[in-house]
Every structure is written in C-alpha cells, then in structure tokens.
Amino acid sequence: MTAEPAAVLAEEQALELLSRGSLELEGRLVDASNTTLRAEITLDGLTRRCVYKPVRGERPLWDFPDGTLAGREISAFLVSQATGWGLVPPTVLRDGPLGTGMCQLWIDEPGDASSLIGFVPAYDIPEGWIAVANARDEDGDAYALAHADDPRLARLAVLDAVINNADRKGGHVLYAPDGRIHGVDHGVSFHVENKLRTVLWGWTGKPLPDEATEMLSRLVAELDGGLGSRLEEHLTLTEVQTARTRARRLLRRGKFPQPPQDWPAVPWPPV
C-alpha cells in the first residue's frame, strides 16, 4: 500500500490515527542510535507514514536511568501541545509490531527546503543569521555554525529550555511543506541537571519575545495542574518538579538561557 499525498492533518485526527491505526513496517532508519523504524499507519481508509521507536530497541543510558526514552518523547510532545505552538509532531505511546513504543507522525520535507541552521563561511554569514560557534574545515578555512534569526526557531529554543533538551542538532529540526518547523528526537530531555545542549544559542541572554512570556505564564499553570499529572505517567516526580522550576525560572528572568559551563553546550555532530 502506498501512502496518499501528505495533506496536513488536524492534531486530533493525527492522534486518533497514531493511536488506533494498523502499523506496517517499511524499514529502519540506520543513522539512529536506537531502533527507529518507518512505518505506514492506516485507519478507516486514511494512510500516513510514521516513526515507530519500540522501547525494547532503546540502548540504556547511564545518565537517564529512569523511565524510557519513549516516555521522554511523549512528554516533549505533551509540553509542546500545551504551548500551542505545534513544535513537536503528534506523538503517542502505543503497542506495535515490536511491542510498546513511541509512534510519531512522519513529517514530509519539501525537496527544495533550505535549512535555517548550518555551517557557513565565517566571512559570509547570511544576512539575518546569527553565529553560534567557530569552526574550521580540513583545509583550515574558517566557518561558523549559525542559524537564522527566525521566530519559529526562537520558539523551539524556548521549548528546549523548558524540557532541558540535551540533543538539539540541526538535523533534528524538520521543515514542513506548510511552512512550519518541527523538532524531533527528544529522548534525552527532562534531566534534573542542566544538560541543555543545542545549536540554537543565537539569542543567549536576550529578552524573550512577548509571545514566549505569555506562553510560559500559561504553561506554568498547566504544569501545576493536569499537564504535570500527565507527565508523571512518563517521568519521575523529581523530573516533573524540575521542569516546573525551569519554566518558572525562565519566566521570572525573561531572557533566553546561558550555555552551561559544566556540560558541552553544542551537540556533536551539530548538524
């Protein structure tokens, strides 16, 4: 069966499809460190592709000993959903061909999509981009890791600060045909220690945009209520409490966070 052209699904419709649809595995994404499979999922004549990450295929991580990576992926979606920004594709925890795992809607990227993050010549940083780190290629030529000063990326940087994302690579940012961007691969998030590691440091120390301040005010209230309870199904109580603290601190300071001093600030490879 071939998936139909990927028209945009409403979130509720996508979650219903992911939760109840029939999964047919297509193959494995070999670049992933944990078992990551692409599948077709079908419900009532509607077919889409999805990413399926079975818990049994997760490699144990010494610094994330509790819960599952799948649970952290679900938690990232729940927080994204509460922001109202739609940054993480619809994601559910469900049974599949290889057991319980995370199932996330596949995002088709347009063939002519130009990345908003990458290495650029240090002497020719595109207008409207922000340099994050210096680098050199094999010939010794100077490059800069940089990203666009784009409000969509700024939203993602705020989300990462709240969930303490330890692995925001450029390749973990997807560009949908409808112009939205999505962040994926959040299995190493929500640690109780500051492990924020990202390529989106361009706004370090700058004031948060007004929309982020308004969102954080709502998010703090939701973390104190129903959202916090839902997160406790996937994270430890301490991890949920620490996420609340991070959101409150971010709101109180009103600025983008500073890079950690005792933890590599940029993931490797960055893109």
Side-chain angles (χ1 to χ4, degrees):
M1 182 179 295
T2 302
E4 65 182 59
V8 177
L9 294 179
E11 183 178 84
E12 182 178 352
Q13 185 181 19
L15 291 173
E16 180 74 4
L17 173 64
L18 293 171
S19 299
R20 298 181 47 234
S22 175
L23 281 169
E24 182 176 341
L25 300 182
E26 290 186 322
R28 181 171 180 174
L29 305 183
V30 295
D31 291 338
S33 56
N34 296 283
T35 301
T36 302
L37 304 163
R38 192 173 77 170
E40 282 192 342
I41 188 164
T42 302
L43 179 67
D44 297 334
L46 176 65
T47 299
R48 289 291 187 274
R49 282 194 169 99
C50 65
V51 175
Y52 167 53
K53 297 182 181 181
V55 170
R56 64 191 286 185
E58 296 179 0
R59 295 183 180 180
L61 298 176
W62 67 268
D63 53 345
F64 286 85
D66 300 307
T68 65
L69 304 186
R72 297 177 189 279
E73 298 249 30
I74 300 300
S75 299
F77 168 70
L78 293 175
V79 174
S80 168
Q81 187 181 44
T83 68
W85 288 344
L87 294 171
V88 179
T91 311
V92 302
L93 190 68
R94 58 161 291 167
D95 192 31
L98 298 179
T100 300
M102 181 219 77
C103 190
Q104 185 175 83
L105 191 68
W106 180 272
I107 301 299
D108 286 314
E109 295 190 273
D112 60 350
S114 56
S115 172
L116 301 177
I117 305 165
F119 285 103
V120 296
Y123 55 85
D124 192 22
I125 297 174
E127 183 177 358
W129 281 48
I130 311 170
V132 173
N134 298 320
R136 291 188 180 275
D137 66 8
E138 296 178 351
D139 298 323
D141 293 329
Y143 280 79
L145 174 64
H147 64 74
D149 186 6
D150 189 295
R152 297 170 296 175
L153 291 180
R155 287 180 169 185
L156 196 56
V158 173
L159 174 68
D160 285 341
V162 172
I163 69 173
N164 198 17
N165 187 1
D167 196 29
R168 175 61 70 208
K169 296 181 172 74
H172 293 171
V173 181
L174 306 182
Y175 307 90
D178 62 1
R180 290 188 295 171
I181 67 166
H182 297 277
V184 297
D185 288 331
H186 301 104
V188 286
S189 300
F190 294 99
H191 203 285
V192 296
E193 299 174 8
N194 180 19
K195 291 185 178 288
L196 182 60
R197 189 165 60 173
T198 176
V199 295
L200 300 177
W201 287 116
W203 301 282
T204 295
K206 294 184 178 180
L208 295 173
D210 290 343
E211 66 167 355
T213 300
E214 295 169 2
M215 180 279 292
L216 286 168
S217 297
R218 299 192 310 270
L219 185 63
V220 166
E222 294 198 38
L223 285 167
D224 286 333
L227 175 59
S229 297
R230 295 182 70 188
L231 292 178
E232 288 173 12
E233 298 175 10
H234 307 287
L235 306 171
T236 67
L237 181 60
T238 303
E239 287 169 340
V240 177
Q241 291 173 338
T242 306
R244 291 190 187 104
T245 300
R246 282 194 300 269
R248 291 193 186 100
R249 184 182 298 125
L250 197 59
L251 178 61
R252 183 175 67 252
R253 292 178 177 174
K255 296 180 179 180
F256 285 92
Q258 301 281 346
Q261 300 302 310
D262 55 351
W263 175 258
V266 176
W268 187 262
V271 297

